[in-house]
Amino acid sequence: MNTKPRLTGEPIMRILCKTSENLVGYLYQWNNGDVQPAWFDGAMADVRFEPFIPAPEQNPVDPKIPRPRQQDLTHLEKA
């Protein structure tokens, strides 16, 4: 038994009914490593667990890399 308190948890898997394929709950992992199902309408026996599909990695701006400065165009001569 884990003696650390459960402070935060996040869903790590969907719980689906094997016969209807309906979503019936989520499996949560807590900050202390415990896992716990959270059922919508009570526990079910005939279920399967489906991991979340990771979102495609976007190309976020890396805060560690400075953005190029936009040049001040006021010094250019008009043609």
Side-chain angles (χ1 to χ4, degrees):
M1 181 172 174
N2 201 333
T3 57
K4 293 169 99 177
R6 292 179 179 174
L7 301 175
T8 58
E10 64 180 74
I12 58 170
M13 291 193 184
R14 292 179 183 91
I15 305 174
L16 303 170
C17 174
K18 280 187 179 179
T19 54
S20 70
E21 292 294 315
N22 289 335
L23 179 66
V24 295
Y26 292 103
L27 185 65
Y28 278 79
Q29 183 167 24
W30 292 89
N31 62 297
N32 66 357
D34 289 347
V35 291
Q36 176 183 22
W39 304 98
F40 296 152
D41 292 319
M44 297 179 66
D46 200 20
V47 297
R48 68 180 182 85
F49 296 87
E50 179 181 87
F52 288 110
I53 298 171
E57 200 169 310
Q58 297 177 2
N59 190 7
V61 176
D62 188 347
K64 297 174 191 165
I65 300 172
R67 286 182 151 200
R69 292 187 182 188
Q70 185 162 355
Q71 294 181 353
D72 183 11
L73 302 178
T74 58
H75 69 279
L76 297 177
E77 293 180 23
K78 291 186 180 180

PDB file of all heavy atoms in Angstrom, residues 1 3 5 20 26 32-33 74:
ATOM      1  N   MET A   1       0.839  -1.185   0.000  1.00  0.00           N
ATOM      2  CA  MET A   1       0.000   0.000   0.000  1.00  0.00           C
ATOM      3  C   MET A   1       0.880   1.243   0.000  1.00  0.00           C
ATOM      4  O   MET A   1       1.844   1.331   0.738  1.00  0.00           O
ATOM      5  CB  MET A   1      -0.912  -0.007   1.223  1.00  0.00           C
ATOM      6  CG  MET A   1      -1.828   1.169   1.280  1.00  0.00           C
ATOM      7  SD  MET A   1      -3.011   0.942   2.604  1.00  0.00           S
ATOM      8  CE  MET A   1      -3.801   2.505   2.530  1.00  0.00           C
ATOM      9  N   THR A   3       1.935   4.927   0.869  1.00  0.00           N
ATOM     10  CA  THR A   3       1.658   5.811   2.001  1.00  0.00           C
ATOM     11  C   THR A   3       1.655   7.284   1.621  1.00  0.00           C
ATOM     12  O   THR A   3       1.246   8.119   2.417  1.00  0.00           O
ATOM     13  CB  THR A   3       2.693   5.591   3.120  1.00  0.00           C
ATOM     14  OG1 THR A   3       4.006   5.818   2.596  1.00  0.00           O
ATOM     15  CG2 THR A   3       2.608   4.185   3.672  1.00  0.00           C
ATOM     16  N   PRO A   5       0.313  10.657  -0.082  1.00  0.00           N
ATOM     17  CA  PRO A   5      -1.063  11.075  -0.364  1.00  0.00           C
ATOM     18  C   PRO A   5      -1.314  11.262  -1.861  1.00  0.00           C
ATOM     19  O   PRO A   5      -0.413  11.577  -2.619  1.00  0.00           O
ATOM     20  CB  PRO A   5      -1.181  12.421   0.365  1.00  0.00           C
ATOM     21  CG  PRO A   5       0.221  12.935   0.423  1.00  0.00           C
ATOM     22  CD  PRO A   5       1.105  11.716   0.536  1.00  0.00           C
ATOM     23  N   SER A  20     -20.464  -3.124 -26.153  1.00  0.00           N
ATOM     24  CA  SER A  20     -21.042  -1.968 -26.850  1.00  0.00           C
ATOM     25  C   SER A  20     -20.011  -0.972 -27.352  1.00  0.00           C
ATOM     26  O   SER A  20     -20.333  -0.106 -28.151  1.00  0.00           O
ATOM     27  CB  SER A  20     -22.006  -1.232 -25.914  1.00  0.00           C
ATOM     28  OG  SER A  20     -21.286  -0.591 -24.871  1.00  0.00           O
ATOM     29  N   TYR A  26     -12.748   6.283 -16.992  1.00  0.00           N
ATOM     30  CA  TYR A  26     -11.339   6.574 -17.257  1.00  0.00           C
ATOM     31  C   TYR A  26     -10.482   5.933 -16.181  1.00  0.00           C
ATOM     32  O   TYR A  26     -10.903   5.820 -15.028  1.00  0.00           O
ATOM     33  CB  TYR A  26     -11.069   8.086 -17.253  1.00  0.00           C
ATOM     34  CG  TYR A  26     -11.709   8.827 -18.393  1.00  0.00           C
ATOM     35  CD1 TYR A  26     -12.853   9.582 -18.196  1.00  0.00           C
ATOM     36  CD2 TYR A  26     -11.172   8.776 -19.675  1.00  0.00           C
ATOM     37  CE1 TYR A  26     -13.443  10.272 -19.240  1.00  0.00           C
ATOM     38  CE2 TYR A  26     -11.759   9.459 -20.727  1.00  0.00           C
ATOM     39  CZ  TYR A  26     -12.889  10.201 -20.501  1.00  0.00           C
ATOM     40  OH  TYR A  26     -13.484  10.876 -21.536  1.00  0.00           O
ATOM     41  N   ASN A  32       1.219   9.743  -6.732  1.00  0.00           N
ATOM     42  CA  ASN A  32       2.008   8.791  -5.941  1.00  0.00           C
ATOM     43  C   ASN A  32       2.179   7.445  -6.643  1.00  0.00           C
ATOM     44  O   ASN A  32       2.718   6.509  -6.077  1.00  0.00           O
ATOM     45  CB  ASN A  32       1.366   8.596  -4.570  1.00  0.00           C
ATOM     46  CG  ASN A  32       0.017   7.927  -4.636  1.00  0.00           C
ATOM     47  OD1 ASN A  32      -0.499   7.630  -5.714  1.00  0.00           O
ATOM     48  ND2 ASN A  32      -0.576   7.699  -3.490  1.00  0.00           N
ATOM     49  N   GLY A  33       1.704   7.341  -7.898  1.00  0.00           N
ATOM     50  CA  GLY A  33       1.863   6.105  -8.669  1.00  0.00           C
ATOM     51  C   GLY A  33       0.650   5.200  -8.664  1.00  0.00           C
ATOM     52  O   GLY A  33       0.569   4.276  -9.471  1.00  0.00           O
ATOM     53  N   THR A  74      11.863  51.344 -41.111  1.00  0.00           N
ATOM     54  CA  THR A  74      11.771  52.795 -41.316  1.00  0.00           C
ATOM     55  C   THR A  74      13.035  53.379 -41.930  1.00  0.00           C
ATOM     56  O   THR A  74      12.999  54.461 -42.489  1.00  0.00           O
ATOM     57  CB  THR A  74      11.478  53.514 -39.983  1.00  0.00           C
ATOM     58  OG1 THR A  74      12.505  53.189 -39.059  1.00  0.00           O
ATOM     59  CG2 THR A  74      10.132  53.116 -39.446  1.00  0.00           C
TER      60      THR A  74
END
